[in-house]
Amino acid sequence: MIDLHSSRIIVAGGSLSGQSAVTELIDRGFAGEIVWITGEAGGVYSKPALSKEFMQGRVSLESILLPAIDPCGANLKIIDGSRGLSLDAQARHLQLDDGRYFDFDGLLICTGASARMPDFALNIDNVLPLRTLEHALAIQQAVRTKPRVLILGGGLIGCEMAASLRGLDLDVTVVEMQSSLLERPFGGAFGDYFEQLQRRNGVTVLTGQSLARLQTANGKVTGAELADSRLLPADLVLVGAGSIPETAWLAGSGLALENGVVCDDTLCSSVPGIFAAGDVASWLNPLYGVRMRVEHWTNASAQGRAAATNLLAALCGDAPGIKSFGDIPYFWSDQFGLKIQMVGWHPGHDRVVVDQPEGAPGPVITYFRGDRLVAAAGVNASRAVMTFRRQIEAEARRTVLEPADA
Amino acid sequence: MKIMVDRTKCDGNGVCMGIAPEVFDVDDELYLHVADPIPDDPELRARVRQAVTSCPILALKPVEK
């Protein structure tokens, strides 16, 4: 048991999970010092909006900024724009990249993930990823000249960007290595649906194609050559190649790292008193019995709060107060005015049921593992999807699945 | 407690509906319906407040009556 008045908790990471963690510490009346290291300067913003409303030009920058935290009398020190440089987990010592360092009693790691940029895409003008506000602003700047756009990767970011930029009347081509679009988030069960949706709206879709090289002139991209030697001219190339959890600064810290910070079902890392939340956390989800790392909005918010609550319980020596964190993942995608929603965790499913409701713009698909419903997705079908969510959760709380390879 | 919806922002993403389905309901035209009044249950109200702060486009605003 330690005296919480004289204790210090560091929250590393200034996106949604970090903000949620700080808010929870304040709401629970934590009496010690909170040091919030934001990493990215300038406040918290809505990441889902970057490829959706913001890219479509429907909302302003101001309207996607989250309100600043009200400290309500808490001892909150915000270090804006600095990042963790290194950590000694056993000594409870964190070094910042601005030269400062802090000892701590508790640490919440909420450093998120960054865009994966393949080597071939580095240091070429007009070749950009989309992950941060800075990226989004750079893309908005680049599209003013009405470039021909080539999108590498037909995942969530790639397909949303294609839809949003097509809405600005740009010429857009998507190249995807897999045989169908959005295979990872939706498991391929939507088959040709997404491809037809993109095509119908004027996007050129090339699936099952890989890139041989980018072509440049004077350091600027001019196009791409595919593995089958086809040439695609382009003035702007957007890379949607997934993300990498931000754990480089934790190398040598003593924390177990593997596809993120390895956490148990309470979001505690391999070292007591250090918890993780959001895109950086690889945790054992008790509702599925598998380890997962979820990169979606609602998970970041809920995990930030849960990790903060559990850390406080740990610092108080309140073992029963440290609760398992179970979550039914949820995300949505906006494409061409349609809302595509997914609840649950489909990796490891062995059966799908495809339903085509009359008058609906797309299918409603349910994913099963054995007899158990594990995920559901639909197009403009919020009520159906949310009803399935309750069923998924009820079944999950009844039976624990055997671990499966995701 | 009443929830105001900014209709110029709300796009029916369903985040609120996932957190407090007793209060928030997005129909298949992506229109959000909000229960009014909100039942006087502390646990539910906590979730409603969580739904408000979880809206990714800040379209919800609580008004204490």
Side-chain angles (χ1 to χ4, degrees), chain B residues 10-60:
Chain B
C10 179
D11 67 344
N13 58 52
V15 169
C16 53
M17 190 178 178
I19 296 169
E22 305 93 326
V23 170
F24 300 100
D25 175 34
V26 178
D27 68 24
D28 294 346
E29 272 76 51
L30 304 176
Y31 190 86
L32 172 62
H33 305 262
V34 186
D36 180 26
I38 290 165
D40 193 11
D41 167 36
E43 187 277 332
L44 178 61
R45 291 201 168 188
R47 273 191 291 127
V48 169
R49 273 190 289 276
Q50 188 190 322
V52 167
T53 57
S54 298
C55 176
I57 44 163
L58 314 168
L60 302 177

Side-chain angles (χ1 to χ4, degrees), chain A residues 46 48-49 53 58 63 65-67 297-298 301 305 330 332 334 337 339 341 380-383 386 389-390, chain B residues 8-15 17-19 21 25-30 33 50 53-58:
Chain A
S46 173
E53 296 92 342
R58 279 184 49 218
S63 73
L65 295 175
L66 271 56
W297 176 263
T298 55
S301 166
R305 287 192 303 274
Y330 168 67
W332 71 100
D334 290 352
K339 183 82 58 195
Q341 295 171 301
N380 285 17
S382 296
R383 285 174 173 162
M386 292 302 170
R389 180 195 187 121
R390 289 192 275 282
Chain B
T8 65
K9 288 185 178 173
C10 179
D11 67 344
N13 58 52
V15 169
M17 190 178 178
I19 296 169
D25 175 34
V26 178
D27 68 24
D28 294 346
E29 272 76 51
L30 304 176
H33 305 262
Q50 188 190 322
T53 57
S54 298
C55 176
I57 44 163
L58 314 168

